[in-house]
């Protein structure tokens, strides 16, 4: 059915279905876990309790909701209003509060700010040659930079240690992998 319909569907309609499926499914399972029909596994993280909301791991609902929200933003035909932006921010923070997922919160805030800059106020025009070039090279450049920073990671440098903390110790763990597997 998906293959037959794919020729007639637009990316915005596909994003709507993805957003609805991810958000609705995650909220239903989370709700069932809160009324006791599904086990809400609890984890101790950083001295706080992280909820799994019926999933096997506490990170899963945060990622599901983030991806669903991103698909929802893409599917919108009108720009989000300020009350919507405030509601998004409160919801994003609540997801972080109950799941303790810092990296998901950082990505959420980054997407939220970029939506305001690129879509709501159009402070940076997406269709310029500079932005098109940046779009093509940004992912490989960021990948190379992250590998180099991980390879050269030194926990005695304060800004590197703060960056590592911001990205949920991905740099130090990557350094361990480099040391272990050369």
């Amino acid at each position: 059915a998906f293959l037959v319909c794919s020729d007639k569907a637009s990316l915005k309609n596909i994003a709507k279905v993805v957003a609805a499926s991810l958000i609705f499914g995650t909220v239903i399972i989370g709700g069932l876990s809160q009324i006791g029909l599904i086990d809400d596994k609890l984890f101790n993280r950083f001295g706080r309790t992280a909820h799994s909301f019926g999933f096997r791991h506490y990170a899963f609902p945060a990622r599901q909701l983030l991806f669903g929200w991103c698909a929802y933003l893409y599917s919108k035909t009108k720009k989000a209003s300020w009350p919507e932006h405030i509601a998004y921010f409160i919801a994003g923070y609540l997801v972080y509060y109950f799941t303790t997922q810092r990296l998901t919160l950082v990505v959420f805030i980054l997407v939220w700010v970029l939506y305001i800059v690129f879509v709501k106020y159009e402070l940076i025009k997406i269709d310029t040659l500079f932005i098109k070039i940046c779009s093509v090279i940004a992912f490989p450049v960021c990948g190379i930079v992250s590998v180099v920073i991980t390879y050269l990671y030194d926990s005695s440098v304060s800004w590197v240690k703060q960056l590592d903390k911001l990205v949920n110790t991905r740099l130090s763990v990557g350094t361990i992998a480099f040391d272990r597997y050369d």
Side-chain angles (χ1 to χ4, degrees):
F2 286 132
L3 289 174
V4 170
C5 295
S6 66
D7 219 18
K8 304 296 181 203
S10 69
L11 285 177
K12 292 222 181 250
N13 286 339
I14 292 168
K16 285 178 189 175
V17 171
V18 167
S21 300
L22 288 173
I23 294 170
F24 183 72
T26 305
V27 168
I28 291 296
I29 291 172
L32 291 173
S33 76
Q34 295 308 296
I35 61 173
L37 294 176
I38 298 175
D39 186 29
D40 180 16
K41 295 181 177 112
L42 303 176
F43 299 85
N44 184 6
R45 291 203 10 107
F46 313 115
R48 292 185 35 219
T49 301
H51 293 261
S52 69
F53 291 104
F55 295 95
R56 293 185 63 126
H57 195 265
Y58 57 88
F60 194 78
R63 284 193 304 254
Q64 288 285 97
L65 292 172
L66 175 66
F67 294 145
W69 176 68
C70 288
Y72 169 74
L73 284 180
Y74 177 76
S75 72
K76 284 180 66 73
T77 53
K78 292 182 180 177
K79 295 177 183 179
S81 65
W82 275 111
E84 284 178 277
H85 280 294
I86 292 167
Y88 298 154
F89 192 82
I90 291 169
Y93 182 79
L94 286 173
V95 168
Y96 160 73
Y97 181 81
F98 288 111
T99 63
T100 69
Q101 287 296 290
R102 286 185 308 209
L103 187 59
T104 306
L105 177 67
V106 169
V107 172
F108 162 76
I109 291 171
L110 180 65
V111 170
W112 186 71
V113 168
L114 289 175
Y115 182 87
I116 292 169
V117 169
F118 283 102
V119 178
K120 183 157 183 70
Y121 288 118
E122 297 179 18
L123 297 174
I124 299 173
K125 303 292 183 198
I126 297 174
D127 57 354
T128 64
L129 180 62
F130 175 74
I131 295 298
K132 288 178 181 178
I133 291 170
C134 288
S135 298
V136 170
I137 65 171
F139 188 76
V141 167
C142 288
I144 291 167
V145 168
S146 67
V147 168
V148 169
I149 289 175
T150 301
Y151 188 74
L152 301 174
Y153 176 76
D154 181 4
S155 62
S156 65
V157 179
S158 64
W159 71 270
V160 174
K161 192 168 187 159
Q162 289 300 322
L163 178 63
D164 187 40
K165 193 174 182 180
L166 179 71
V167 295
N168 212 18
T169 67
R170 297 295 193 263
L171 300 176
S172 58
V173 171
T175 301
I176 293 168
F178 277 130
D179 291 343
R180 184 176 296 164
Y181 301 111
D182 197 23

